[in-house]
Amino acid sequence: MMDVLLDVLDTFLLDRFYATILPKSTDQFQWTPMNGTEIPNSLNERVNRYMPLEPSKWATESLLPRDHLVRQFLSLFAVSWLFALILYYLTATISFHLVFDKRSMKHPKFLRNQIQLEKQQAYSAIPVMALLTAPFFVAEVRDYTKLYDFSTDAPFPLYTVLQFPLFILFTDFGIYWIHRGLHHPWVYKNLHKPHHKWIISTPFASYAFHPLDGWAQSVSYHVYPFLFPLQKWAYLALFMFVTIWTVMIHDGEYAMNSPVVNGSACHTIHHYYFNYNYGQYTTLWDRLGGSYRKPDAALFNRETRMTQSEIDKQVKEMNRLVKEVEGTDERCYEVAEEPKKVR
């Protein structure tokens, strides 16, 4: 899909941008095709499969032609950075205002200035993750994957439907083992710990990772089309679904009490108690790997989940596990714990 998107962006924006910053000649810009010939329509070959689009008059006027590896990398890095940033901000903001139970912000384990800290972490991580992801998109544009354009190009008719559950199953498997590996003590300390800073997570915590951590958990998505056929539009739809799902499992609204789906309640247990529910979409691999923990029934009741007795029970186990996993708790909480009275 990135190849089609790149044709469109080149035509309407990037051709002129590259021709301006890296023109072929230092003379005053003369926007004429190279050697006085017509600009070949093959420059928009990818997008022309879907709709006719003439190349721009700047298409051949830069020292970096459209098919140059460096130009493709820079363009795709910028596009993936901007796209991820917008999608994260919009979905997390909508979820925060319309779905997130803001009573959670009164929980003793909610951090001081946590919303701002989550956003800062995400904003600093997204460009690095985009930088590391851009090579996958370059490989896609240069036809190293098994992505295809139309359903008629599928290996067999039913595959158009099967590609969705196959993608989910493959990435769920990959993320489970990568995520579990991130909880190895050394890896956790150096990479995954920043994401577990948010014991009580909000939708803005969805991308508040160490960038290498966030990238590692996304690798399965990008490896899939190297190994298996996938329609380009399906790839784009699944990429958007992944982003929205990642926000949803941090939204603190426990609408789905399913033994199969790894919803918000399951992922909340992971943030609460660290070493459970590593999966992304299903509970399958947690059950097989012995790391599944069923969410407490109290979480699914808006009244009981915020009672003092329930919170006290959570905090007691949280304190024990923070000490066990991290040693010293370096978090700065919004509501400071009351000092014990000396008798």
Side-chain angles (χ1 to χ4, degrees), residues 15-183:
D15 284 339
R16 185 168 188 173
F17 172 76
Y18 284 108
T20 301
I21 64 168
L22 286 171
K24 279 188 174 180
S25 171
T26 57
D27 298 330
Q28 291 294 320
F29 300 133
Q30 300 292 327
W31 302 116
T32 55
M34 181 173 53
N35 300 325
T37 61
E38 291 185 1
I39 299 174
N41 282 331
S42 60
L43 285 176
N44 278 353
E45 181 181 1
R46 310 295 186 118
V47 71
N48 282 337
R49 297 173 187 173
Y50 297 90
M51 61 180 184
L53 183 65
E54 294 290 328
S56 72
K57 59 183 179 181
W58 296 279
T60 59
E61 295 297 326
S62 174
L63 287 173
L64 282 179
R66 282 191 180 187
D67 61 353
H68 196 286
L69 182 66
V70 171
R71 172 168 167 171
Q72 289 177 339
F73 176 83
L74 292 174
S75 298
L76 291 167
F77 161 59
V79 168
S80 55
W81 179 2
L82 184 62
F83 180 77
L85 185 64
I86 292 172
L87 196 56
Y88 159 75
Y89 179 79
L90 288 178
T91 54
T93 300
I94 292 170
S95 179
F96 179 77
H97 288 292
L98 299 183
V99 180
F100 179 64
D101 186 349
K102 296 175 182 59
R103 296 179 301 166
S104 301
M105 298 168 71
K106 300 296 183 182
H107 195 287
K109 292 300 180 181
F110 197 82
L111 304 187
R112 185 173 300 166
N113 301 320
Q114 180 170 319
I115 302 295
Q116 188 61 33
L117 291 171
E118 288 172 337
K119 290 179 181 179
Q120 288 174 356
Q121 180 72 47
Y123 294 153
S124 63
I126 287 172
V128 181
M129 289 191 285
L131 187 71
L132 296 171
T133 302
F136 289 110
F137 292 142
V138 171
E140 174 194 329
V141 168
R142 300 177 83 85
D143 293 326
Y144 289 107
T145 68
K146 296 185 178 183
L147 291 168
Y148 59 91
D149 288 283
F150 305 106
S151 57
T152 52
D153 301 322
F156 51 90
L158 189 58
Y159 192 82
T160 302
V161 176
L162 287 177
Q163 62 184 334
F164 293 98
L166 289 174
F167 180 90
I168 296 298
L169 288 171
F170 177 87
T171 54
D172 200 38
F173 169 81
I175 292 170
Y176 174 81
W177 290 108
I178 291 170
H179 191 180
R180 188 160 185 168
L182 286 163
H183 278 259

Side-chain angles (χ1 to χ4, degrees), residues 115-337:
I115 302 295
Q116 188 61 33
L117 291 171
E118 288 172 337
K119 290 179 181 179
Q120 288 174 356
Q121 180 72 47
Y123 294 153
S124 63
I126 287 172
V128 181
M129 289 191 285
L131 187 71
L132 296 171
T133 302
F136 289 110
F137 292 142
V138 171
E140 174 194 329
V141 168
R142 300 177 83 85
D143 293 326
Y144 289 107
T145 68
K146 296 185 178 183
L147 291 168
Y148 59 91
D149 288 283
F150 305 106
S151 57
T152 52
D153 301 322
F156 51 90
L158 189 58
Y159 192 82
T160 302
V161 176
L162 287 177
Q163 62 184 334
F164 293 98
L166 289 174
F167 180 90
I168 296 298
L169 288 171
F170 177 87
T171 54
D172 200 38
F173 169 81
I175 292 170
Y176 174 81
W177 290 108
I178 291 170
H179 191 180
R180 188 160 185 168
L182 286 163
H183 278 259
H184 179 279
W186 185 90
V187 183
Y188 179 88
K189 178 182 177 181
N190 290 280
L191 288 184
H192 197 48
K193 185 177 177 180
H195 188 60
H196 274 275
K197 184 176 184 178
W198 333 111
I199 294 177
I200 308 299
S201 64
T202 81
F204 293 106
S206 55
Y207 279 78
F209 291 101
H210 184 291
L212 287 178
D213 175 4
W215 174 80
Q217 294 195 59
S218 74
V219 165
S220 298
Y221 310 140
H222 304 295
V223 167
Y224 184 91
F226 284 87
L227 302 177
F228 306 102
L230 186 64
Q231 191 174 2
K232 291 177 181 178
W233 288 106
Y235 189 34
L236 178 62
L238 286 164
F239 188 80
M240 295 179 68
F241 166 75
V242 164
T243 301
I244 295 169
W245 183 263
T246 303
V247 171
M248 286 173 60
I249 61 175
H250 290 88
D251 66 15
E253 182 55 49
Y254 315 118
M256 187 175 294
N257 185 4
S258 168
V260 176
V261 179
N262 186 83
S264 178
C266 283
H267 197 69
T268 291
I269 292 297
H270 178 72
H271 275 267
Y272 279 11
Y273 307 127
F274 295 88
N275 297 322
Y276 305 95
N277 301 350
Y278 299 107
Q280 181 78 349
Y281 308 112
T282 76
T283 62
L284 172 64
W285 293 103
D286 280 299
R287 291 177 181 278
L288 293 175
S291 54
Y292 175 68
R293 175 167 171 167
K294 184 178 179 180
D296 299 335
L299 290 179
F300 298 97
N301 186 309
R302 284 185 62 85
E303 302 305 321
T304 59
R305 73 188 185 205
M306 295 304 295
T307 60
Q308 191 61 47
S309 60
E310 179 64 22
I311 291 174
D312 288 344
K313 183 179 73 171
Q314 294 169 1
V315 169
K316 183 178 179 180
E317 187 169 4
M318 289 170 182
N319 287 339
R320 178 179 65 81
L321 288 168
V322 167
K323 185 176 181 180
E324 180 182 308
V325 173
E326 299 181 359
T328 303
D329 191 350
E330 300 171 347
R331 298 168 183 82
C332 183
Y333 297 105
E334 185 70 38
V335 180
E337 293 184 7

